[in-house]
Amino acid sequence: MAMRQFKAESKKLLDLMINSIYTNKEIFLRELISNASDACDKRYFKSLTDASIDIKKEDLQIHLSVDKDSRTLSLSDNGIGMTKDELEKNLGTIAKSGSQDFKAENQNENIDIIGQFGVGFYSAFMVASKVTVVSRAQGSNEAWQWESKGVEGYTLTPADKETVGTDITLVIKEDAENEDYSHFLEEYTLSDLVKKYSDYIRYPITMYREKSRQKPKPEDAGDDYKPEYETYTELETLNSMVPIWKRDKKDVKPEEYNEFYKNKFMDYTDPLRVITSRTEGTATYTALLFIPGQTPYDYYTKEYEKGLALYASGVMIMEKCGDLLPDYFSFVKGVVDSEDLSLNISRETLQKDSQLKLIRNSLEKKIKNELHAMQVNDRDKYETFWKAFGRQIKFGIYGDYGMHKDLLADLLMFYSAKEQKLITLDEYLEKMPEDQKCIYFAAGDEVDRLGKLPNAQLVLSKGYDLLLCSEDVDEFCLQIMHDYKEKEFKNINSGDLGLETEEEKKAAEEATTENKELFEAIKKALNGKVKDVKVNPTLQDHPVSLSSEGGLSMEMEKVLRKMPANGEGMESTKILELNPNHAVFGALKAAFAVNDTAKIDKYAELLYDQALLIEGLPLEDPVAYAQLVCELMK
Ligand code: ADP
Ligand code: MG
């Protein structure tokens, strides 16, 4: 019997294939099962137009069996089979896909066949030292055997086979140092792999499984009877066949979706929202997505891996395809199934796949719309969502130089000082008095403290609302947005808020000119810590306050300081503002009148430190501050 050589280019390809296209050896089973499923599809499809083919859809199936002694794993299908020519053509040439030809020949028909690349079969050599294929084609009365040990070539010999279909037998490789091949001979491994990759193949995938049961208790058993066990085998269907996402939404109970979510994504709380989507046209896919009900414990760490499970016609290609989700929706879990993707796709080629990009864009819009709908119609759930993942949305606005702000802005929620609850930006705008020009916000760690800041009370006293932003990302997010529907965001500590009356303004200007020399002295005493000292007529009962000038606010300075190696030199430009109506201002003036420089120096330092404390900023020298206070008490 002559050894037939693989076509030259096939040899190289086979080598490449076995060693690199698939990094993951276990997928060989998925590939062989998909081929068997395609073969069943083809036979069924032919039977529709050829009355001589007497097969019903229910009779088509795929059967697995293992024999540990001979280290063999066999797959049998009663699909269309292969003639001698087809064995030669399809298995003798790598990258020759019979399925592709079949599709081309039957172009107008709606057939949904998995294979189209022509390399999947060879993945068997990743785990097998020898592969034997015995096949009998539909309409043929002879069977042929194809056999190969890999790169050297293959043999083709006549064989005996009573029924139409294909039997593939793999001799599983011996275990190597770092490679455990033997587990592919375990029933539970095979059952797990079928569940993982091939659960939604439309034909039953069966296997006899060894089980154990208690023997019936004999009638005459005495008191000292100990239960006895026996092993038996039972034919089991390993796959569940119809994927939940392929079922009509109205036929699926909410609990079924929830159960699916919890099992598949290992969560113990129900999802907040289930999103189903089926599209045709530029991107043909079915998606079943979930918004989780709580933050995964590792969500805000590097360990968390975003992604959706990706299926091609019911066969899993990838457990977590990150390219399907933008980072700002990385919390979404789910499944995407597309007929337009080929099975033999690797991570590298996927990234370039234009189909995938279309799906991603379409999903992005869908997710955005669903979240917005939830915000409008299901506020309690949305707030739960927001507490769990709002931070990620804010990062999404801030990231990529604000490229996604238009998409994400109306998902935002902030705590309202006036209403004491979370509100959206649209809600803020709706309640804005006519004379209000900006959207005011205060940034800092604690919501409670923010509302008490001098400028916060000023804004509120005008009847305006104020967003209390207590997350470190908030201000960065608002700054990159700049405005919402043309209303500018304004930090209440950004200096000129434009909230004084004309009278107050005039009085302040006068007071500033009047006390010019005093302010110079204070500025000098503070030795570069503030850029300017001025009067602020709106401080009410606070003696002093700090504001900042330019793009970097004091709160941002605080955030940046916390970042490793980033805080250096990142300082806000501060202005010390004094309340001209406060007793302390009088004390300053008095000291200045008698030229008591030592006192002015101390007061300046004290007031500056107090202002820092009010803003929640760290004191440069807490010990010196404490000593100053004590000195005053003496
Ligand atoms: P693909 O499935 O991408 O076409 P494969 O390398 O997986 O490529 O398979 C090559 C070809 O061999 C298939 O297209 C099909 O024509 C044929 N083939 C493989 N397995 C079977 C099978 N079990 N029954 C019938 N034909 C098969
Ligand atoms: Mg295939």
Side-chain angles (χ1 to χ4, degrees), residues 21 94 140 295 375 406 458 556 618:
I21 292 193
I94 300 180
S140 165
T295 330
Q375 186 197 66
D406 292 338
L458 171 67
M556 290 164 105

Side-chain angles (χ1 to χ4, degrees), residues 99 364 415 439 441 568 592:
S99 293
E364 179 185 87
Y415 197 79
I439 302 177
F441 71 92
E568 290 298 316
F592 189 67

Side-chain angles (χ1 to χ4, degrees), residues 365-602:
K365 279 198 208 87
K366 181 81 189 170
I367 295 168
K368 156 67 204 284
N369 292 340
E370 290 280 340
L371 288 174
H372 194 250
M374 184 156 120
Q375 186 197 66
V376 175
N377 307 321
D378 207 346
R379 183 56 69 92
D380 284 350
K381 279 198 176 161
Y382 190 77
E383 285 195 17
T384 309
F385 157 74
W386 189 251
K387 279 173 193 139
F389 303 110
R391 193 174 156 77
Q392 190 67 7
I393 301 285
K394 293 173 188 168
F395 276 120
I397 290 186
Y398 173 61
D400 292 338
Y401 307 99
M403 237 165 75
H404 317 289
K405 60 183 183 186
D406 292 338
L407 176 81
L408 302 174
D410 58 4
L411 296 179
L412 285 172
M413 290 198 99
F414 291 102
Y415 197 79
S416 149
K418 226 170 159 178
E419 302 191 27
Q420 296 286 306
K421 62 171 192 189
L422 287 169
I423 59 166
T424 67
L425 293 176
D426 281 319
E427 286 158 0
Y428 185 99
L429 292 190
E430 272 159 36
K431 296 200 174 156
M432 216 160 122
E434 231 168 82
D435 64 334
Q436 187 182 343
K437 293 186 184 60
C438 309
I439 302 177
Y440 294 102
F441 71 92
D445 318 325
E446 302 147 60
V447 161
D448 286 349
R449 189 180 62 79
L450 291 175
K452 292 186 192 127
L453 287 176
N455 284 341
Q457 304 207 315
L458 171 67
V459 169
L460 291 169
S461 74
K462 300 276 171 193
Y464 304 160
D465 198 1
L466 175 70
L467 303 174
L468 304 178
C469 302
S470 56
E471 273 191 315
D472 52 8
V473 60
D474 286 343
E475 198 174 0
F476 293 87
C477 163
L478 294 180
Q479 196 175 61
I480 209 140
M481 282 172 74
H482 181 265
D483 61 8
Y484 183 69
K485 303 199 171 158
E486 289 169 17
K487 297 284 182 211
E488 212 177 300
F489 291 106
K490 198 146 193 96
N491 186 335
I492 55 160
N493 282 343
S494 64
D496 182 23
L497 284 182
L499 289 178
E500 319 86 334
T501 60
E502 281 306 311
E503 250 166 68
E504 284 171 331
K505 223 179 189 166
K506 209 165 144 233
E509 270 162 28
E510 275 169 22
T512 304
T513 343
E514 230 169 73
N515 298 290
K516 207 169 155 224
E517 283 162 43
L518 167 61
F519 292 173
E520 277 304 319
I522 296 176
K523 197 174 142 186
K524 200 162 146 239
L526 290 178
N527 197 16
K529 287 180 203 152
V530 300
K531 190 185 160 229
D532 229 334
V533 181
K534 62 184 191 189
V535 155
N536 180 346
T538 56
L539 285 178
Q540 298 173 8
D541 46 3
H542 294 269
V544 66
S545 155
L546 273 177
S547 68
S548 63
E549 224 180 56
L552 193 69
S553 76
M554 288 178 279
E555 189 51 35
M556 290 164 105
E557 173 187 331
K558 210 157 80 184
V559 174
L560 292 173
R561 267 176 203 267
K562 279 191 225 149
M563 297 185 187
N566 233 341
E568 290 298 316
M570 293 293 230
E571 265 178 47
S572 50
T573 310
K574 299 180 188 68
I575 313 251
L576 188 73
E577 299 181 345
L578 297 169
N579 183 351
N581 310 315
H582 200 282
V584 162
F585 194 68
L588 274 170
K589 279 214 293 210
F592 189 67
V594 297
N595 223 345
D596 189 345
T597 332
K599 205 170 205 176
I600 297 240
D601 284 358
K602 276 183 203 155

Side-chain angles (χ1 to χ4, degrees), residues 22 31-40 42 75-82 86-87 89-102 113-123 133-135 165-168 342-344:
Y22 297 115
E31 294 295 333
L32 298 180
I33 288 176
S34 296
N35 286 348
S37 163
D38 279 356
C40 292
K42 289 174 194 168
L75 274 106
S76 303
D77 66 69
N78 53 355
I80 197 153
M82 282 176 275
E86 284 166 338
L87 280 168
K89 200 173 78 176
N90 294 335
L91 306 185
T93 323
I94 300 180
K96 171 77 205 170
S97 169
S99 293
Q100 185 91 66
D101 293 350
F102 188 86
I113 280 178
I114 303 157
Q116 48 180 294
F117 222 67
V119 289
F121 172 77
Y122 295 94
S123 61
V133 181
V134 174
S135 194
T166 304
D167 300 334
I168 300 182
S342 97
L343 250 191
N344 319 71

